[in-house]
Amino acid sequence: DKLAQRADIFIDQGYFTPAQAQVYLQKAKNLGLELCLHTEQLHRTEGFKLGLAIQAQSMDHLVQINDNDIEQIKNSNTTAVLLPSADFYLKMKYPPARKLIDSGVRVAISTDFNPGTSPSSDISFVGVLSRLNMNMSLPETLVAYTLGAAHALGLENQIGSLEVGKSCD
């Protein structure tokens, strides 16, 4: 009935494994849904490799990635969505935003708003954390809020930058 546009799954120890996620995401892809996965947050699962293999529109968290992983991600069309308010709330390390950006990975930032691990929908707080704890510049933060976020949602042709033919909201 076209009630959904995206499918999302959380890959981590105690949640879904990459193998379980592959079954779910492949079915979702076959149904015409865009794909997103939350991975490499609490533990290194290498779920990001599944995201790359299935051409996920976005992968969220990516805290537990290394330089080799970043090399693989930069050669994809997948947007890295960083969720620093979740990292702040859980008192854990932050994703390597500086390395991602410097290597050419498209980055977005968001709240990950949920009652369990990120109970704030304050996007300005996300910007402060991005600047202070992920070493992003102000222009990088603004691009991550706007064009990066539009790419993460597959809406970059409609929103995210000031261009003729795009919505200016």
Side-chain angles (χ1 to χ4, degrees), residues 10 12 15 38 41-42 61 83-92 94 110-121 125-126 129:
F10 181 48
D12 212 320
Y15 299 92
H38 291 241
Q41 180 188 15
L42 305 173
H61 297 292
L83 307 165
S85 57
D87 308 322
F88 175 83
Y89 188 76
L90 294 174
K91 298 180 181 175
M92 56 185 283
Y94 291 83
S110 190
T111 66
D112 198 28
F113 179 54
N114 72 80
T117 63
S118 189
S120 174
S121 61
F125 180 58
V126 169
L129 293 174

Side-chain angles (χ1 to χ4, degrees), residues 147-164:
L147 190 56
H151 274 278
L153 296 171
L155 299 173
E156 67 276 6
N157 294 322
Q158 300 167 37
I159 62 172
S161 59
L162 300 176
E163 297 179 57
V164 173

Side-chain angles (χ1 to χ4, degrees), residues 2-161:
K2 302 291 183 198
L3 298 175
Q5 296 173 332
R6 296 169 61 94
D8 189 356
I9 195 163
F10 181 48
I11 301 171
D12 212 320
Q13 291 178 15
Y15 299 92
F16 292 99
T17 66
Q20 292 168 325
Q22 182 173 10
V23 172
Y24 169 75
L25 292 170
Q26 189 58 58
K27 177 66 174 174
K29 187 173 187 173
N30 292 345
L31 291 171
L33 298 174
E34 294 296 335
L35 307 177
C36 170
L37 48 142
H38 291 241
T39 189
E40 314 310 327
Q41 180 188 15
L42 305 173
H43 302 93
R44 181 166 174 79
T45 63
E46 296 192 343
F48 82 94
K49 290 181 180 180
L50 171 62
L52 296 176
I54 62 168
Q55 300 175 335
Q57 197 166 44
S58 64
M59 292 189 289
D60 296 12
H61 297 292
L62 301 177
V63 176
Q64 309 297 334
I65 59 173
N66 61 39
D67 292 347
N68 291 331
D69 304 339
I70 292 170
E71 277 298 308
Q72 293 175 59
I73 296 167
K74 84 172 190 179
N75 294 317
S76 75
N77 288 321
T78 300
T79 300
V81 181
L82 310 181
L83 307 165
S85 57
D87 308 322
F88 175 83
Y89 188 76
L90 294 174
K91 298 180 181 175
M92 56 185 283
K93 73 177 188 174
Y94 291 83
R98 181 79 271 132
K99 287 183 177 183
L100 286 162
I101 292 167
D102 288 347
S103 70
V105 172
R106 183 176 40 248
V107 169
I109 53 175
S110 190
T111 66
D112 198 28
F113 179 54
N114 72 80
T117 63
S118 189
S120 174
S121 61
D122 185 350
I123 196 70
S124 62
F125 180 58
V126 169
V128 170
L129 293 174
S130 297
R131 301 281 318 279
L132 295 178
N133 295 335
M134 296 195 308
N135 299 314
M136 292 173 63
S137 69
L138 179 57
E140 290 166 342
T141 300
L142 293 173
V143 168
Y145 273 146
T146 56
L147 190 56
H151 274 278
L153 296 171
L155 299 173
E156 67 276 6
N157 294 322
Q158 300 167 37
I159 62 172
S161 59

